[in-house]
């Protein structure tokens, strides 16, 4: 009927595949991962989740990010509001300006409601290049990324690569490009535990550890060099595709935090459930900045 509100649930399978399945997986109003994140934060706020002692601190930050500023009746708002980020993380002046400034309507950080599948699909359809519109057969490398590879001088092992599918090149590149940051959370320490990427300051906010601050610029540089090369070789230098690639990366990184194993990681981290979910790129003055985020 004319009163029916179109949601991600109404998107066709073909349109969903065109953006690498990102719409149904993330924006579905009932089963999407972003709703899952909100419900997880709500359950924390309502004390429905039993916490071990080392889980109390990360639970406080997760509740703040995913629920505190929503209001319990509004499950369809932005899944990470601006004030949640500011009250949770130590942000630089540039990051704060980027988050709250004039470009916020283009910034997936501040425009993250469940209706944002529309802008994502519009962006994907706006790239006028065959590599961005024609579909390729992924040959079973759908989830291929740096975190799915073991490499030495003689052998290459690839695992957990996903099912073969037909996707445009930008969607196909999502897992590979997000893995530059995802891999930061998969480093193990000498005890075999995940390396923690955040620490609390004296005010209880989260900030990057010194080791991560040293490593992150190298990751950003590698990411930008790779994206530049891909744009030049696959898209004939059409730099508008950069916005789409980064949007996919942002969506996928936050999406991973909505997986069911979030509780499993909670029990192993003194500050955050998994540092693998914490580096997210955003736009600022046409350059790429990276902000720490759960």
């Amino acid at each position: 009927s004319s009163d029916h509100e179109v949601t991600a649930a109404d998107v066709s399978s073909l349109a969903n595949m065109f953006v690498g399945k990102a719409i149904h997986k993330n924006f579905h109003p009932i089963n999407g991962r972003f709703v899952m994140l909100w419900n997880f934060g709500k359950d924390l706020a309502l004390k429905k989740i039993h916490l071990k002692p080392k889980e109390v601190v990360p639970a406080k930050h997760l509740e703040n990010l995913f629920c505190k500023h929503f209001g319990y009746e509004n499950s369809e708002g932005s899944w990470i509001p601006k004030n949640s980020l500011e009250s949770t993380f130590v942000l630089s002046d540039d990051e704060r300006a980027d988050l709250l400034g004039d470009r916020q309507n283009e910034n997936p950080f501040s425009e993250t409601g469940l209706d944002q599948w529309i802008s994502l699909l519009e962006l994907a359809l706006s790239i006028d290049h065959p590599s961005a519109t024609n579909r390729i057969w992924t040959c079973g490398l759908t989830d291929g990324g740096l975190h799915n590879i073991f490499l030495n001088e003689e052998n290459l092992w690839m695992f957990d690569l996903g099912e073969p599918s037909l996707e445009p090149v930008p969607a196909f590149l999502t897992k590979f490009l997000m893995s530059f940051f995802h891999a930061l959370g998969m480093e193990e320490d000498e005890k075999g535990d995940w390396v923690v990427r955040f620490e609390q300051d004296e005010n209880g906010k989260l900030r990057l550890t010194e080791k991560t601050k040293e490593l992150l610029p190298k990751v950003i540089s590698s990411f930008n060099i790779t994206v530049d090369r891909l744009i030049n070789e696959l898209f004939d230098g059409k730099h508008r595709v950069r916005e789409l690639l980064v949007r996919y990366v942002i969506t996928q990184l936050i999406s991973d935090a909505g997986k069911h194993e979030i509780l499993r990681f909670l029990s192993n981290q003194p500050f955050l459930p998994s540092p693998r979910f914490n580096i997210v790129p955003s736009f600022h003055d046409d350059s790429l900045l990276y902000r720490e985020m759960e």
Side-chain angles (χ1 to χ4, degrees), residues 24-49:
H24 291 169
K25 177 175 67 176
N26 299 309
F27 297 97
H28 193 285
I30 298 175
N31 303 317
R33 288 183 180 178
F34 298 154
V35 169
M36 186 188 303
L37 287 175
W38 183 82
N39 286 329
F40 179 66
K42 184 175 68 172
D43 287 343
L44 286 172
L46 297 177
K47 313 300 181 185
K48 291 184 177 180
I49 297 177

Side-chain angles (χ1 to χ4, degrees), residues 41-202:
K42 184 175 68 172
D43 287 343
L44 286 172
L46 297 177
K47 313 300 181 185
K48 291 184 177 180
I49 297 177
H50 176 71
L51 300 173
K52 298 178 181 179
K54 66 168 59 177
E55 296 172 350
V56 173
V57 172
K60 178 190 70 174
H61 293 295
L62 290 171
E63 174 190 338
N64 185 57
L65 281 174
F66 300 135
C67 180
K68 183 177 179 182
H69 296 285
F70 282 109
Y72 298 141
E73 300 302 321
N74 180 16
S75 64
E76 296 188 6
S78 298
W79 30 274
I80 301 181
K82 298 186 290 292
N83 50 355
S84 289
L85 289 167
E86 283 208 313
S87 60
T88 304
F89 296 104
V90 177
L91 299 175
S92 69
D93 290 340
D94 284 342
E95 290 168 335
R96 188 173 290 104
D98 185 30
L99 188 62
L100 304 174
D102 294 336
R103 293 176 58 83
Q104 63 176 326
N105 288 332
E106 301 176 40
N107 191 331
F109 257 168
S110 55
E111 296 294 331
T112 51
L114 294 183
D115 62 344
Q116 286 305 301
W117 63 267
I118 300 174
S119 64
L120 179 63
L121 184 57
E122 288 176 343
L123 180 59
L125 291 170
S126 71
I127 310 299
D128 184 19
H129 191 278
S131 293
T133 54
N134 296 337
R135 296 185 298 168
I136 63 170
W137 181 245
T138 66
C139 300
L141 299 177
T142 308
D143 294 340
L146 302 178
H147 59 297
N148 300 105
I149 296 174
F150 286 110
L151 177 67
N152 62 25
E153 294 182 356
E154 298 180 355
N155 297 291
L156 171 68
W157 292 269
M158 306 179 75
F159 63 97
D160 193 21
L161 298 178
E163 297 181 0
S165 63
L166 284 168
E167 298 178 2
V169 173
F172 171 65
L173 292 173
T174 298
K175 289 294 183 73
F176 170 64
L177 291 175
M178 65 83 74
S179 71
F180 281 70
F181 305 96
H182 186 77
L184 286 174
M186 302 190 73
E187 180 182 356
E188 295 183 350
D189 61 19
E190 61 277 2
K191 297 180 181 179
D193 296 325
W194 298 123
V195 172
V196 176
R197 296 298 180 189
F198 285 109
E199 60 189 8
Q200 288 195 118
D201 70 0
E202 60 278 4

Side-chain angles (χ1 to χ4, degrees), residues 147-148 159-160 178-187 194-198 252-254 256-257 259 261-262 264-265 269 272-280 293-294:
H147 59 297
N148 300 105
F159 63 97
D160 193 21
M178 65 83 74
S179 71
F180 281 70
F181 305 96
H182 186 77
L184 286 174
M186 302 190 73
E187 180 182 356
W194 298 123
V195 172
V196 176
R197 296 298 180 189
F198 285 109
Q252 184 61 43
L253 284 169
I254 303 176
D256 273 8
K259 290 183 178 179
E261 67 258 35
I262 190 169
R264 178 165 60 88
F265 286 110
Q269 301 299 323
L272 287 180
S274 174
R276 71 201 300 187
F277 306 134
N278 59 15
I279 307 299
V280 179
M293 183 177 136
E294 166 54 22

